[in-house]
Amino acid sequence: MLTRLLHVVAQHRGFTILCGCVAAVTITLFVALVTGVGGPIVSQNTSNIALFAAALTAAWGCLAKALRPAPPRVRWSWALTGFGALSWGVGQFFCIWYETFLGVDVPFPSFADAGYFWMMPFTATGLLLLPMSRQSVAQQARSILDGLMIAASLLLITWILILGPLARQGADSFLALLVTLWYPGGDVVVLTVVLFMLARLRAGGQRPMSLPLVGTGLAAFTVSDSGYAYLTLVDTYGSGAVLDLGWFVGFALILVASRKPDAEHEVETPAALTRPLGVMLPYLAVVGSLITSTFEVVRHGAHDPVVSWSRSAIILLIVGRQLLTLLENRNLTRDLEDRVEARTAELRASEQRFQALVQHSSDVVTVVALDGSVTYQSESIARVFGYPREHVTGRRILDFLGDEAGDRLEEAFGAVSETPYASRVVEIPMRHSDGEFRLAEVTVTNLLTDLNVQGLVLNSRDISERKELEDQLVHEAFHDGLTKLANRALFKDRVELALRRRGDADIAVLFLDLDGFKEVNDSLGHAAGDQLLVQVADRLCAAVRPGDTVARFGGDEFAVLIDLAGEAEGAAGDADDLATRIIDALDRQFDIDNTEIHVQGSIGIALTGPDAADADQLMRNADLAMYRAKSTGEGTFARYDPAMHTGLVDRLQLAADLRRALEGSTGELVLYYQPTIELRSGTITGFEALVRWQHPVRGMISPADFIPLAESTGLIRPLGQWVLAEASRQCVEWGRHDPERTLTMAVNVSGRQFDQTDLPAIVTAVLADTGLPPERLCLEMTESVLMTDTEENLAVLLSLKAIGVKLAIDDFGTGYSSLAYLRRFPVDTLKIDRSFVERIGGATPDAALARTIVQLGQSLGMATVAEGIEQYAQFLALRRMGCDLGQGYYFARPLPADEAGALLRDPAALVA
């Protein structure tokens, strides 16, 4: 509570300081006026200046409030209130002018009264513009009558106490009398407006102005105005009297109201129709006028016509208000009766609707007394379980349930009977009227303490179909949809279960992959492939023992779990025998759509042991053994050996090291350059860039070891891009030393790089970065690139050719050499494989094939490059055949960049 109070004080610190300053100034002025310090002239000037400053300050506060974001009516209300204070301040300025500057008494009436005059009209109009809560027509009429009652009562009181005596006393002129009566009369009007607005306030809603502060300030004004009017008529008023304090207090309270922080908006509730003060305020004003007029009659024995007419008007207003109240109460009573009838009808309809829902619900509702007898049974039991409700009502529920269902239900009764509103859900078998058992879900709720029920409520529903669906979904989640075998999740669960219960026994896992399955799919279609998989599954199930588990992991991958195979030697023997039976079973032909199909299987075997402590390790070992069997040939099996895992770990570590070498700047990857020689002239026409890896631990690693690894891990793409950029940069650097020489840089491109559709964009970017002319770059690829994804690769090759680079087929003659793709693809160079070159020497078939390749290149307008030239005889024979270019140890081995540069400067070092 204290923390919240401190938080509020901190939020409103400025307003609190203002209130303190206003109170201090008011007390100081009060003391000064009461004591008359400094004499009459000082008191007069002090009072005049204080009132002028108070009026201007209040006007500033109201006008500043009007400039803040708010609804238009609120802003106009504050603005008019500020204009009223400003008008009064103008009048006070004339008062200061007369008394201080001219040194004469203020004439009455004067220009000062003209300024004072407009304060009340402005203020009253501003207060009437304040937005109030929405009201009905009857409420608006009552509010108007309340306002008229307040106005008539205040007018009567003011006439008796102030206006009547002033009017009877008379004045020097009619204008003076009118001005004299205006001040208290205007105050009565403003106070009436304030009280009228207070009467219209509701218990909630927005409060755009602090009416209590403003009303209190205007009440202080009324006191000073009334005193001023009387003292002016008797010619005894003088500035600097204590009477001036009422005007100062009025402006001070208006200033405080304008600077008061806006309260948080409260939502108006329908229940808060009126505030008690708003209801009683008109009657309080009437009581006040009655008391005042009564004393006037007792005092003088009679009263003037104004008092009589005012009392008559008040009586008429009271009668009108009471009639309006009677009409409103009558309408309210009629409305309440209609609402009661509507509510009663709604409750009756709700009861009937609830009864219909219970009777026709899919749930069977049963109420059982504490002794087990059925006190209520819904008719839905006939629809769900086939029994009429009379068959159950009045009997003990445990008597017509089976033993299993009765025991479960009795246990549920005992669990909830001690705790009100406790519930328990049980599943019990219930016999249908047709004799079949249905599985029912029963929710037992203790409503014994509920006077409307006084029993245990059983909500029963037939969940037999739901259970069957759940079992079907579970089966589908753990079985292959095509072969109905176990899937990977169920197989792993079976392996884990076998490992937990095996004790000293051993288990074995077999992984099977079909050889040639892709060709069946590609040639006969996926439907034929699915038939083949179903037949393979049948043969596997026929080959295994009854206790073994057969699974399909997806595609053409199968697995078998041999559980409880005996001792280790027995387990290994059982696994080998099963693998042999499976291979023999698959060796027989399959008949698919009247087509004979032959497939083989590669099987990997893994046994439990130190390196297979869990299911994941055991399945991983079988997978590794399967790949080993697949690499040795079709239709074989292999048993797991720890060296397989060691090789896998080494492969993973090598891949991580290669990634680190590519991402870092360790300089482990370097390029060697093997020169390409024009056979007729013996000059160097270019180089082939060959990547080498200087591993910090393993030393120089052969490209035959890490290039396939890069292709399988996807690292071939960043590696190929690095080789392309580095080789292009080196070629440009050599060109700067010998601008007259035109060197061609050959770079090998892997088939995996052709999977990138942005390969032409990468080549273009590298050429732009390094400045190498496109015609000096030759990209070499194997024949397999041209044979796979022909249309896509053709589009990439055409894009590369459009850049201007040269294209070469590497190891030509060892793959699927075809004139068709040679004519279709934009190839510039054929590279004769070293296997043909190394056996050139006489009339051998390899020599004839090399000669044919050279002639083929010449007929197609392609250059030919012979790889692997190591002897002079090979060099001489190839030159005689007409081969254009050559590479090999006969000329130079692959060299680092600096040695290759030295070779360019000294071509004589080519041939030893």
Side-chain angles (χ1 to χ4, degrees):
M1 187 66 181
L2 180 60
T3 304
R4 184 177 180 183
L5 179 61
L6 293 176
H7 177 69
V8 173
V9 172
Q11 271 190 324
H12 300 163
R13 182 176 300 171
F15 177 71
T16 305
I17 294 174
L18 174 64
C19 293
C21 293
V22 169
V25 173
T26 302
I27 293 173
T28 303
L29 181 62
F30 174 77
V31 173
L33 296 180
V34 170
T35 59
V37 177
I41 300 300
V42 173
S43 297
Q44 183 185 75
N45 292 332
T46 300
S47 175
N48 288 338
I49 294 173
L51 292 177
F52 179 68
L56 293 184
T57 306
W60 165 80
C62 294
L63 293 176
K65 190 79 169 183
L67 295 176
R68 292 185 179 181
R73 294 186 61 177
V74 175
R75 298 175 65 182
W76 273 109
S77 178
W78 281 111
L80 290 174
T81 305
F83 289 150
L86 184 62
S87 174
W88 200 96
V90 171
Q92 184 64 19
F93 172 78
F94 283 108
C95 180
I96 295 173
W97 177 263
Y98 283 119
E99 293 185 346
T100 302
F101 291 96
L102 299 182
V104 297
D105 292 335
V106 180
F108 184 80
S110 65
F111 289 110
D113 295 301
Y116 299 147
F117 180 86
W118 289 104
M119 177 180 175
M120 295 307 170
F122 277 129
T123 305
T125 306
L127 292 175
L128 288 173
L129 285 177
L130 282 174
M132 291 295 169
S133 304
R134 294 181 179 179
Q135 294 180 324
S136 63
V137 176
Q139 291 173 340
Q140 291 178 357
R142 187 172 64 247
S143 297
I144 294 173
L145 291 175
D146 289 345
L148 292 175
M149 289 171 61
I150 294 172
S153 300
L154 290 180
L155 179 62
L156 178 58
I157 295 172
T158 307
W159 178 263
I160 293 173
L161 298 179
I162 301 173
L163 297 179
L166 290 176
R168 288 190 295 271
Q169 187 173 355
D172 296 339
S173 64
F174 178 75
L175 179 61
L177 179 62
L178 182 63
V179 172
T180 301
L181 296 178
W182 169 253
Y183 289 123
D187 292 334
V188 170
V189 172
V190 175
L191 285 177
T192 301
V193 171
V194 172
L195 294 175
F196 173 70
M197 301 304 289
L198 284 172
R200 290 186 60 189
L201 281 177
R202 296 295 182 260
Q206 189 175 8
R207 305 294 177 84
M209 181 181 287
S210 178
L211 285 178
L213 285 176
V214 176
T216 304
L218 294 176
F221 253 88
T222 303
V223 173
S224 294
D225 282 345
S226 301
Y228 169 77
Y230 176 77
L231 294 177
T232 300
L233 284 178
V234 300
D235 199 20
T236 59
Y237 174 75
S239 298
V242 179
L243 184 67
D244 297 352
L245 194 64
W247 291 313
F248 183 86
V249 171
F251 283 123
L253 291 176
I254 292 175
L255 172 64
V256 171
S258 67
R259 307 312 298 170
K260 182 180 180 182
D262 295 332
E264 294 184 1
H265 178 71
E266 299 177 3
V267 179
E268 184 177 353
T269 58
L273 294 178
T274 56
R275 291 155 46 98
L277 177 62
V279 175
M280 297 301 300
L281 196 57
Y283 296 100
L284 293 176
V286 169
V287 171
S289 65
L290 178 62
I291 294 173
T292 305
S293 61
T294 301
F295 275 109
E296 178 69 9
V297 171
V298 173
R299 184 178 171 187
H300 297 289
H303 45 73
D304 55 32
V306 174
V307 175
S308 299
W309 283 105
S310 298
R311 295 182 67 172
S312 300
I314 292 173
I315 293 172
L316 289 175
L317 291 173
I318 292 175
V319 172
R321 193 183 190 285
Q322 290 303 114
L323 290 176
L324 183 63
T325 303
L326 288 174
L327 291 175
E328 192 174 4
N329 288 340
R330 182 178 179 182
N331 293 332
L332 181 60
T333 302
R334 186 183 298 113
D335 180 64
L336 289 175
E337 291 175 353
D338 293 341
R339 291 172 63 183
V340 169
E341 291 180 1
R343 182 59 177 167
T344 303
E346 182 182 351
L347 292 174
R348 188 180 299 111
S350 177
E351 181 182 359
Q352 294 174 353
R353 181 169 58 251
F354 175 76
Q355 185 176 3
L357 289 175
V358 171
Q359 295 298 337
H360 299 88
S361 171
S362 59
D363 285 4
V364 178
V365 180
T366 308
V367 179
V368 180
L370 193 58
D371 61 357
S373 60
V374 177
T375 59
Y376 173 82
Q377 178 61 63
S378 64
E379 294 179 357
S380 54
I381 191 174
R383 183 176 62 260
V384 178
F385 294 110
Y387 297 105
R389 57 181 299 185
E390 294 78 9
H391 178 75
V392 178
T393 306
R395 298 176 58 188
R396 294 187 74 255
I397 190 170
L398 300 179
D399 293 342
F400 54 84
L401 293 177
D403 294 339
E404 180 181 358
D407 292 342
R408 293 183 185 178
L409 204 56
E410 191 172 13
E411 180 183 356
F413 287 169
V416 303
S417 59
E418 299 297 331
T419 307
Y421 301 102
S423 63
R424 175 69 64 88
V425 179
V426 294
E427 293 182 0
I428 60 175
M430 293 188 65
R431 185 185 296 275
H432 194 273
S433 61
D434 59 8
E436 298 291 333
F437 278 95
R438 308 290 176 85
L439 186 62
E441 181 183 80
V442 181
T443 302
V444 183
T445 306
N446 181 358
L447 296 182
L448 292 169
T449 58
D450 192 325
L451 298 179
N452 298 316
V453 180
Q454 296 182 346
L456 300 173
V457 179
L458 279 62
N459 290 82
S460 308
R461 62 182 62 89
D462 186 355
I463 61 171
S464 301
E465 294 183 357
R466 191 186 77 184
K467 275 296 183 182
E468 292 177 0
L469 179 59
E470 290 178 357
D471 294 341
Q472 180 182 353
L473 292 176
V474 170
H475 183 273
E476 292 178 357
F478 289 99
H479 290 79
D480 176 54
L482 177 64
T483 62
K484 309 306 178 185
L485 298 177
N487 61 10
R488 183 184 293 272
L490 180 57
F491 185 82
K492 182 180 177 181
D493 184 72
R494 296 278 179 85
V495 173
E496 291 175 345
L497 179 62
L499 288 173
R500 287 195 298 268
R501 70 183 184 187
R502 70 187 183 95
D504 296 333
D506 226 336
I507 64 174
V509 171
L510 281 67
F511 270 28
L512 167 67
D513 186 83
L514 296 180
D515 302 319
F517 177 73
K518 184 177 183 302
E519 286 74 11
V520 175
N521 265 343
D522 294 340
S523 58
L524 300 180
H526 290 282
D530 290 345
Q531 294 182 41
L532 175 61
L533 292 175
V534 172
Q535 293 188 23
V536 168
D538 292 340
R539 295 190 185 185
L540 289 177
C541 292
V544 300
R545 304 176 311 176
D548 299 335
T549 300
V550 182
R552 176 178 175 243
F553 289 171
D556 59 344
E557 295 183 357
F558 294 85
V560 179
L561 169 64
I562 303 177
D563 193 3
L564 302 177
E567 298 299 327
E569 294 181 0
D574 288 346
D576 292 348
D577 292 343
L578 177 58
T580 302
R581 291 199 304 272
I582 292 175
I583 292 175
D584 293 340
L586 296 178
D587 193 45
R588 301 193 305 271
Q589 70 180 27
F590 294 88
D591 294 326
I592 308 295
D593 294 337
N594 298 322
T595 302
E596 295 183 359
I597 296 176
H598 292 272
V599 295
Q600 295 289 339
S602 298
I603 300 176
I605 303 173
L607 304 174
T608 50
D611 53 354
D614 57 31
D616 289 328
Q617 292 178 349
L618 189 60
M619 294 168 66
R620 178 207 63 195
N621 294 346
D623 196 28
L624 290 174
M626 184 266 291
Y627 279 106
R628 173 61 61 86
K630 205 172 187 66
S631 65
T632 59
E634 297 181 356
T636 60
F637 67 87
R639 208 183 297 168
Y640 171 76
D641 185 87
M644 298 178 185
H645 183 254
T646 302
L648 176 62
V649 173
D650 290 344
R651 181 180 174 84
L652 293 176
Q653 183 61 48
L654 192 63
D657 293 343
L658 180 58
R659 188 181 303 274
R660 174 185 49 78
L662 281 169
E663 295 175 352
S665 56
T666 58
E668 298 178 24
L669 295 173
V670 295
L671 290 185
Y672 277 54
Y673 301 91
Q674 187 169 27
T676 302
I677 310 299
E678 186 178 21
L679 297 184
R680 291 196 176 276
S681 63
T683 58
I684 300 176
T685 62
F687 289 89
E688 180 182 1
L690 303 171
V691 65
R692 297 291 185 267
W693 183 11
Q694 182 65 43
H695 194 278
V697 177
R698 306 188 186 195
M700 187 64 74
I701 299 178
S702 170
D705 293 332
F706 71 86
I707 292 297
L709 177 64
E711 290 181 336
S712 63
T713 58
L715 295 175
I716 192 63
R717 296 175 181 176
L719 177 61
Q721 188 171 346
W722 177 84
V723 171
L724 180 63
E726 183 66 19
S728 300
R729 184 197 60 78
Q730 185 62 60
C731 187
V732 171
E733 183 178 346
W734 284 332
R736 292 196 190 99
H737 297 294
D738 190 0
E740 300 299 327
R741 185 192 296 270
T742 302
L743 293 176
T744 300
M745 181 60 69
V747 178
N748 290 286
V749 181
S750 169
R752 294 297 180 90
Q753 291 176 266
F754 275 88
D755 294 339
Q756 297 174 272
T757 57
D758 59 345
L759 179 60
I762 294 175
V763 173
T764 302
V766 169
L767 293 176
D769 291 341
T770 60
L772 180 68
E775 65 273 8
R776 293 176 60 184
L777 176 64
C778 180
L779 300 180
E780 298 184 359
M781 69 210 79
T782 61
E783 292 174 280
S784 61
V785 173
L786 309 181
M787 299 303 296
T788 57
D789 298 327
T790 305
E791 296 301 328
E792 290 79 1
N793 289 344
L794 176 60
V796 174
L797 291 174
L798 291 175
S799 299
L800 292 173
K801 196 62 181 175
I803 297 172
V805 301
K806 296 179 180 180
L807 302 176
I809 299 179
D810 198 10
D811 301 333
F812 184 78
T814 60
Y816 304 94
S817 303
S818 171
L819 289 177
Y821 72 73
L822 283 181
R823 296 181 63 86
R824 186 180 182 190
F825 289 93
V827 179
D828 300 291
T829 304
L830 299 179
K831 299 192 72 173
I832 305 172
D833 187 67
R834 66 177 63 248
S835 61
F836 303 127
V837 174
E838 67 186 8
R839 289 192 288 272
I840 291 179
T844 63
D846 291 327
L849 184 56
R851 184 179 297 107
T852 301
I853 295 174
V854 172
Q855 293 174 356
L856 177 62
Q858 292 173 348
S859 64
L860 295 176
M862 301 177 185
T864 53
V865 181
E867 297 181 294
I869 301 176
E870 298 183 0
Q871 300 173 6
Y872 175 74
Q874 297 170 347
F875 160 69
L876 188 61
L878 288 166
R879 188 170 64 176
R880 289 174 180 172
M881 293 177 189
C883 183
D884 302 308
L885 305 170
Q887 291 177 306
Y889 288 177
Y890 175 73
F891 304 110
R893 293 174 175 271
L895 303 171
D898 53 350
E899 295 183 21
L903 186 63
L904 279 174
R905 294 188 296 270
D906 184 16
L910 277 175
V911 181

